[in-house]
Amino acid sequence: MSIQSDKALEEALKLIESCTFKQPLELLKEILKGELGNKRLVFAIRCCDFWAKADDSIAGNSFFEQGEWLLAQWKKFQMILEFAGPDCEKITYSFKKGIFSKALEVYSKANDDKDPKLKSEILRKTGLCYKKLGSYEMALRFLTEANAMVPGQAQLIAEMADCYAFYGETKNAKMLFKEAFYMDARKIDLTFLDSPLIRVLVEKVEDTGYSGPALLEWIPVYGVILGIFNVKRQLKSQEVLRLKQEIYSREGEMKDPSSNKEFLKPHLINLYFWLIDYYILEKDSISKINEVLLKLKLLDPEIHSLYVR
């Protein structure tokens, strides 16, 4: 690109970072006339066109709805980002900065003290925006507050884990990711998890052929197999009781020919892993561990082989 074209692109990217799209779209199209075939420009125009066409539909919605709309559009936008080449990183960053800065702005205006669940969700989404913008300390502050208000949300815990992974606090990250997928794997939205720790695991599980909800259920299984979810914690007595009850229930479902084993099998395997961890930490009899290992072997010989090797 010429110096003049580079300068014009920089101007367009600054506008995009302020969440303005129609003006930079025209500017980019004008640059393209003299740079036909420039892949960076074509990619930037495609991205800008996506947001320019969608831009007006948020008018009149509440601040919370505007934030939700922006995040929903970002998920759709991921399909375009898949076409980003290695030299499009700055363009991708400009769109991320623009969208999540705008989302942060509207969520900050959406405070609602009357509904604790809504307040917690606003805090979580605020933390998510800070995380996407690279402000991990601020993200953790809001995510922690949201978790204190409404504990036990799998997505929230996964986002906290994502922050710790970026911080380099790998042990905390592994523990919280493992916890989140144990809470409710299918409630986790992978779109907003970006740390290499979780992305590498997701890619490895995708390589085995899994996708959609099944992928989410297999992630904690392969997380253990691959040594990523290798942090164990002591379970409280009530947690152990619930774990054993759920295993009994899921084993019963596995015997039902009409049950959805696509999701059920990996879920049960993950429960077995948690029970084995409990027995190991409690230094319980080897016979109890072997009993669970036998169940695992009967359920999935391949996973059993990978687990015990």
Side-chain angles (χ1 to χ4, degrees):
M1 292 178 67
S2 66
I3 295 175
Q4 187 176 0
S5 295
D6 280 336
K7 188 176 178 181
L9 178 60
E10 288 296 323
E11 183 183 342
L13 292 180
K14 283 181 182 179
L15 289 167
I16 289 165
E17 288 176 12
S18 66
C19 214
T20 301
F21 303 109
K22 291 180 180 178
Q23 186 180 343
L25 177 60
E26 295 307 313
L27 181 58
L28 290 167
K29 286 180 178 178
E30 189 63 31
I31 303 171
L32 187 64
K33 291 178 181 177
E35 299 277 350
L36 291 175
N38 187 306
K39 292 182 179 180
R40 289 179 66 212
L41 287 176
V42 171
F43 174 71
I45 288 170
R46 186 174 181 183
C47 292
C48 224
D49 187 57
F50 173 90
W51 289 102
K53 286 178 178 176
D55 200 29
D56 292 334
S57 62
I58 62 173
N61 292 338
S62 70
F63 289 121
F64 180 74
E65 288 171 336
Q66 288 180 42
E68 295 295 276
W69 180 86
L70 284 166
L71 297 192
Q73 291 301 307
W74 183 263
K75 288 180 67 173
K76 296 177 183 177
F77 186 53
Q78 296 303 298
M79 294 180 65
I80 294 176
L81 291 183
E82 290 177 4
F83 293 94
D87 57 345
C88 295
E89 190 174 323
K90 191 170 184 179
I91 296 169
T92 300
Y93 170 80
S94 293
F95 280 96
K96 182 165 71 170
K97 183 178 179 181
I99 295 304
F100 285 97
S101 295
K102 180 64 177 180
L104 183 60
E105 177 190 332
V106 294
Y107 279 122
S108 68
K109 297 176 182 177
N111 291 329
D112 190 330
D113 297 319
K114 297 177 182 178
D115 184 346
K117 286 186 177 180
L118 179 57
K119 176 67 174 178
S120 175
E121 184 66 4
I122 292 169
L123 289 169
R124 181 178 80 79
K125 294 293 176 56
T126 302
L128 168 62
C129 291
Y130 274 118
K131 179 171 73 73
K132 295 292 284 188
L133 292 169
S135 299
Y136 305 119
E137 186 176 349
M138 286 294 291
L140 276 171
R141 185 188 304 178
F142 281 93
L143 292 170
T144 301
E145 188 178 349
N147 188 52
M149 190 167 289
V150 182
Q153 302 177 67
Q155 181 67 26
L156 192 157
I157 299 300
E159 284 160 7
M160 291 179 72
D162 215 30
C163 286
Y164 281 119
F166 278 117
Y167 259 136
E169 295 189 23
T170 307
K171 184 176 180 180
N172 279 340
K174 287 182 173 184
M175 180 180 69
L176 290 178
F177 272 131
K178 183 177 179 180
E179 205 76 41
F181 279 92
Y182 176 56
M183 286 177 179
D184 196 335
R186 274 181 274 171
K187 282 193 176 176
I188 295 176
D189 190 339
L190 299 174
T191 308
F192 299 109
L193 302 179
D194 301 308
S195 63
L197 179 68
I198 193 65
R199 295 317 312 178
V200 167
L201 176 56
V202 170
E203 288 171 14
K204 286 184 179 295
V205 181
E206 285 176 334
D207 288 344
T208 64
Y210 296 110
S211 61
L215 169 71
L216 293 170
E217 292 289 0
W218 280 105
I219 284 173
V221 174
Y222 280 94
V224 172
I225 294 297
L226 297 170
I228 298 173
F229 291 0
N230 59 357
V231 180
K232 302 176 177 62
R233 73 166 176 87
Q234 294 281 356
L235 295 177
K236 298 175 183 178
S237 56
Q238 288 184 332
E239 289 180 305
V240 177
L241 181 61
R242 284 198 299 270
L243 174 59
K244 290 182 176 180
Q245 286 175 338
E246 187 173 4
I247 287 173
Y248 179 79
S249 175
R250 298 293 176 254
E251 287 175 340
E253 289 180 39
M254 283 295 295
K255 296 174 184 176
D256 183 352
S258 65
S259 65
N260 192 337
K261 294 178 176 58
E262 181 186 11
F263 308 137
L264 189 56
K265 186 167 79 166
H267 183 73
L268 182 54
I269 291 171
N270 191 36
L271 296 178
Y272 285 155
F273 286 165
W274 275 81
L275 186 57
I276 291 170
D277 282 354
Y278 166 72
Y279 286 145
I280 291 172
L281 290 173
E282 289 293 308
K283 296 181 173 59
D284 220 318
S285 67
I286 192 68
S287 63
K288 289 185 177 180
I289 295 174
N290 285 335
E291 182 183 336
V292 184
L293 286 173
L294 178 59
K295 289 182 176 183
L296 175 61
K297 187 175 183 178
L298 293 171
L299 181 62
D300 194 316
E302 183 180 353
I303 292 296
H304 173 270
S305 177
L306 292 170
Y307 182 72
V308 300
R309 68 182 178 182

